[in-house]
Amino acid sequence: MSFSSDTKQELCRLEPERDCCRRAECYGAFLLANSFSPSSVSLLTESAAVAHRAAQEAAETAGVMAEVSSAVVRKGGRTTFAVSIPGEDQRLRFLHHFSHRSGEVNLRIHEENLAHPCCVPAFLRGAFLSCGTVTAPEKGYDLEFSVPFMNLAHDLALLLGRAGGIGLQPAVANRKGRFIVYLRGGEKVADLLTFLGATHASMALMQAKMLKEMRNNLNRLNNFETANIGKTASAAARQLLAIEKIQATIGLGALPEDLREIALLRWENPELSLRELGDMLSSPLSRSGVNHRLQRIVELSERQS
Ligand SMILES: [Zn+2]
């Protein structure tokens, strides 16, 4: 089961409390489906729950008997369910029920079907059930509606943009002859899922997002520390070797006072940072000052044979 189909399952378990919302959900599901005209009203879905819910809502809200059939798609072996309304008189009744006329060239959302604020989430839920998908949170944070007509896609984007004052900013793209209305980003997708009523899916998404961010932060910290410790350690090792060599050749006593002091401090404190060493000097020195002195020691050691 994909995250998308889990989300649809969750939405199909919701019981719309009001008749107006049940009707709005049915309208969203069929309007945004594969066809919505006198010659064909049909909805294709991979979810049995969605198919049966749509057929039931068509019967309850518009009094039409839809047929549900299923077929196994040869490629990929998935089952697809088709919900269709047989008979032109039934289809016309269905369209008129949602105030659509028979000769419409340009399918638009008729907002008079969303009379109350409660009907907007219900309509969008229907639309998501029939043409929506949401990416699994471990792969990304995308939610899309794949819409067959451009104007319908733009109407949907406008409605989503206004939805519940949650500040979604959907975009529309053309992909292989379909119009994709999409949201990107964990917070936006989670907000919309909550708005549609999929609170479990929304929580699962936010949790996955938090875990991923925590893991990224930990990794960044680890990389940072490894890189820095590595650098500090190898620089310190070079300095220790240089001090050892000077001691073995000319002796530390041959060094000028300022170099001798830092050489001894470094020798005794191989793990300290340059700044910490600088603070320990009889007259404290900046990090770069310490670095400069240690650099002179390394150069001096390189001149000893
Ligand atoms: Zn309502």
Side-chain angles (χ1 to χ4, degrees):
M1 285 277 276
S2 66
F3 184 63
S4 212
S5 56
D6 283 348
T7 304
K8 290 185 183 185
Q9 289 275 7
E10 186 188 353
L11 290 174
C12 283
R13 284 194 295 270
L14 287 181
E15 270 306 316
E17 278 177 21
R18 308 172 66 167
D19 289 346
C20 59
C21 296
R22 195 178 292 270
R23 191 170 167 274
E25 187 183 300
C26 178
Y27 179 51
F30 281 97
L31 180 67
L32 275 300
N34 301 74
S35 51
F36 191 83
S37 75
S39 56
S40 165
V41 174
S42 84
L43 185 164
L44 295 178
T45 174
E46 286 178 10
S47 160
V50 170
H52 290 114
R53 186 175 175 97
Q56 195 186 343
E57 283 176 347
E60 285 172 2
T61 67
V64 299
M65 301 312 287
E67 286 174 354
V68 179
S69 57
S70 67
V72 176
V73 181
R74 202 173 299 159
K75 214 171 129 192
R78 286 186 309 240
T79 307
T80 297
F81 298 87
V83 187
S84 51
I85 298 178
E88 196 178 333
D89 53 334
Q90 275 215 109
R91 289 192 288 269
L92 282 172
R93 187 140 46 91
F94 191 67
L95 298 188
H96 292 160
H97 181 73
F98 294 109
S99 71
H100 282 264
R101 287 175 294 109
S102 42
E104 280 177 26
V105 208
N106 223 331
L107 216 48
R108 311 293 300 254
I109 296 176
H110 289 194
E111 292 207 13
E112 58 266 41
N113 292 308
L114 319 175
H116 312 287
C118 59
C119 302
V120 175
F123 174 83
L124 293 173
R125 185 163 59 235
F128 178 78
L129 286 175
S130 89
C131 74
T133 46
V134 56
T135 313
E138 52 281 11
K139 293 188 186 141
Y141 313 108
D142 302 325
L143 188 148
E144 329 186 316
F145 297 83
S146 169
V147 183
F149 306 109
M150 187 174 72
N151 288 329
L152 201 53
H154 285 291
D155 283 357
L156 179 65
L158 278 177
L159 192 62
L160 274 167
R162 298 202 310 263
I166 46 180
L168 302 172
Q169 291 167 315
V172 183
N174 190 338
R175 192 195 299 153
K176 294 179 191 161
R178 304 276 298 186
F179 297 86
I180 311 297
V181 181
Y182 64 91
L183 292 175
R184 300 263 183 276
E187 260 114 67
K188 284 185 190 172
V189 173
D191 281 349
L192 180 62
L193 289 176
T194 305
F195 186 66
L196 299 182
T199 42
H200 277 101
S202 173
M203 262 161 52
L205 191 146
M206 287 315 284
Q207 219 162 36
K209 185 169 181 281
M210 258 170 53
L211 271 177
K212 200 192 278 179
E213 281 168 0
M214 220 160 75
R215 217 172 296 136
N216 283 346
N217 284 344
L218 276 178
N219 277 341
R220 204 174 311 138
L221 195 68
N222 271 339
N223 291 341
F224 176 77
E225 284 185 342
T226 317
N228 278 284
I229 286 170
K231 241 167 47 192
T232 311
S234 65
R238 254 203 352 265
Q239 293 153 8
L240 291 173
L241 280 173
I243 295 163
E244 207 175 23
K245 191 171 172 195
I246 289 173
Q247 174 64 348
T249 50
I250 54 172
L252 290 183
L255 293 176
E257 175 73 41
D258 58 342
L259 293 192
R260 191 165 64 242
E261 192 187 5
I262 194 74
L264 283 170
L265 268 178
R266 171 47 95 204
W267 186 253
E268 283 158 12
N269 306 283
E271 77 290 353
L272 290 190
S273 70
L274 297 180
R275 194 181 307 278
E276 288 167 317
L277 286 176
D279 289 340
M280 288 170 78
L281 286 169
S282 51
S283 51
L285 199 61
S286 70
R287 188 190 168 283
S288 68
V290 172
N291 191 42
H292 181 68
R293 283 188 193 177
L294 286 167
Q295 199 51 46
R296 276 166 63 203
I297 293 174
V298 172
E299 280 162 16
L300 196 61
S301 79
E302 281 163 358
R303 289 204 294 272
Q304 312 303 319
S305 49

